[in-house]
Amino acid sequence: MEISESTIIVIFGASGDLAKRKLMPALFQLTQDALLPNKTRIVGFARRAKTHEEFRSEIQEALVKFARSKPREGIAELKEFTSRLYYQVGNYDDKESFDELKILLDDIDGECGIPPGRGNRLFYISTPPDVFTDIVTVLGQADHIANPEDEDRWTRVIIEKPFGRDLETARALNKKVLAMFDESQVYRIDHYLGKETVQNIMAFRFGNSIFEPLWNRGFVSHIHINVAEAVSVEGRGGYYDHSGALRDMVQNHMLQLLALVAMEPPASFAPNSVRDEKLKVLSAIPPIGGMDVGHSTVRGQYAAGTIDGRAITDYLNEPGVSDDSVTETFVALKLYVDNWRWAGVPFYLRTGKALSSRFTEINIEFRQPPLALFSHSVNNVLKGAGKMQPNILSLRVQPNEGIRLSIGMKVPGPKMVLQPTDMEFCYDEVFDTEPPAAYERLILDAMSGDSTLFIRQDEVDAAWTLIDGILDGWRNEETPHIHLYRAGTWGPYAADEFIAQDIKKMGAV
Ligand code: BG6
């Protein structure tokens, strides 16, 4: 799809962390790579008064710190980019502020040689969620939204997560959004879908024919999806304590990863074909609730420790966290996808903050060969005959992006001894280039009107339905089972134990 010549991107929450660390660097990179049309302009909207010039130098400073690649021509390039930035002060629920914004946008259209009010608009809502509905509502009231049928110009809105904090609030938010925008204009973002290696899950599965015949319950024993983070809540305690790992990571990023791994091949790569298939997966996950939470989930919370020499305080001591908080900073859970392809195959999801290091990996573990014909050794230690090491396919999302297949090979020598060895593909070795940041791809897609990598409301609903059940189950536990783990470890021992025991039981069946 083509990107039309003249678009104004309005970022609500322009002074926030996301805008400075991710959105502006992404827009800068796209400009450097000549992927944005010349007439693209960016307007920051936030509550604090500042001039265009003050905003420009604030963003210039942020880019010096956070730009993905250093400007080739130094400061001149930064200045050229920031000269396309504008600032509008205002309150998110105040129509007058949005009327002023409209005057500014119309003026910018004029500067770009477009009849005022006829340029395209991409509204990016990256504020705290409590003002999402105000913004969409006032955008409508202040007449910022083009008719979706208008062929000469478009208006789109990107909405950051969290999209609600449960099914009810997500639906209420959606109702407000759809009171003003048409679904075709709404882009609900999950930045994991913009990661190169996440898109590669689809490329790997549906652009190659050798693995797909094995991609089912007949050959796959179980699947792990691990998202480990080495950061603690680091100043986000106020938000995080009302969220927790389940809402913050599982409801969105991890269930999306699961959906991509488990979905059927779509009929095409058109937005609704892909999203229909993901929805079918999410809807096929049997709910976990009531007493089941005890058998299918493990919650943890970090206590003081060190990560790479950095001292981490107890979660309970983080600013904004309540003294008796039972919010989980770690969660492990077992899910099934009850359909013809996956019935009986457990998906183990694990994520946590303040863990030993940062990595996101999906491991597909295949069934054992039916007969153990050979002895095998692991790390050069002879284990004798018996169970072979399974084949494991690892999709490494970050860092060291790549794919690894572990297979049993004969150890050289007179004996028939097998040892697991890895066949590996590393992104940076093969392509010799750093993958683009997720936000670069997603902003570009939104500008070209491609919503394939954005979330549809029914996916949001299906994910919340599952999460609400678990949260309810946890709330109703007589004593909340929160396992403490030391920061800098791999999470609570109970989680490893739970998964190891479960896999062992499966083997026994
Ligand atoms: C965000 C969560 O959506 O994703 C954060 O709110 C988390 O808590 C972040 O740290 C992880 O993203 P990434 O791209 O660093 O893996």
Side-chain angles (χ1 to χ4, degrees), residues 295-310:
H295 308 126
S296 300
T297 71
V298 172
R299 284 185 279 171
Q301 191 182 77
Y302 66 81
T306 48
I307 303 174
D308 281 339
R310 273 182 306 131

Side-chain angles (χ1 to χ4, degrees), residues 323-339:
D323 294 346
D324 54 355
S325 169
V326 290
T327 298
E328 77 292 352
T329 61
F330 175 100
V331 63
L333 53 147
K334 176 171 75 159
L335 301 175
Y336 286 101
V337 177
D338 266 359
N339 62 15

Side-chain angles (χ1 to χ4, degrees), residues 238-259:
Y239 151 76
Y240 196 87
D241 207 37
H242 291 104
S243 169
L246 195 65
R247 286 193 175 97
D248 187 51
M249 295 297 287
V250 179
Q251 188 273 342
N252 35 73
H253 310 322
M254 295 190 77
L255 287 179
Q256 284 295 320
L257 292 178
L258 185 153

Side-chain angles (χ1 to χ4, degrees), residues 161 191-192 195 229 236 248-249 253 353 358 398:
K161 68 175 270 268
H191 77 279
Y192 266 55
K195 290 182 191 272
E229 292 194 275
R236 295 168 76 217
D248 187 51
M249 295 297 287
H253 310 322
K353 294 224 179 265
R358 171 182 188 247
Q398 61 190 19

Side-chain angles (χ1 to χ4, degrees), residues 95-168:
K95 175 155 179 304
E96 232 172 82
S97 308
F98 281 61
D99 289 339
E100 285 167 19
L101 173 69
K102 192 155 194 303
I103 295 172
L104 173 67
L105 301 185
D106 290 356
D107 285 351
I108 299 174
D109 277 343
E111 282 170 28
C112 293
I114 299 154
R118 299 301 301 164
N120 302 315
R121 306 284 187 256
L122 178 62
F123 295 108
Y124 197 124
I125 306 185
S126 85
T127 58
D130 53 335
V131 291
F132 285 3
T133 47
D134 289 338
I135 296 174
V136 285
T137 307
V138 189
L139 275 174
Q141 290 165 349
D143 199 21
H144 278 275
I145 306 171
N147 185 326
E149 310 291 323
D150 193 332
E151 289 184 355
D152 299 329
R153 65 181 179 126
W154 51 256
T155 305
R156 298 180 189 135
V157 62
I158 300 184
I159 304 180
E160 261 298 333
K161 68 175 270 268
F163 205 86
R165 54 174 284 106
D166 53 24
L167 181 61
E168 196 186 330

Side-chain angles (χ1 to χ4, degrees), residues 371-405:
L371 273 183
L373 291 179
F374 310 115
S375 300
H376 74 286
S377 92
V378 179
N379 299 333
N380 296 326
V381 178
L382 189 63
K383 299 281 183 187
K387 277 204 161 172
M388 305 293 299
Q389 288 294 301
N391 296 119
I392 301 174
L393 177 72
S394 300
L395 308 173
R396 282 201 317 276
V397 172
Q398 61 190 19
N400 309 326
E401 291 82 354
I403 293 174
R404 186 177 62 230
L405 177 63

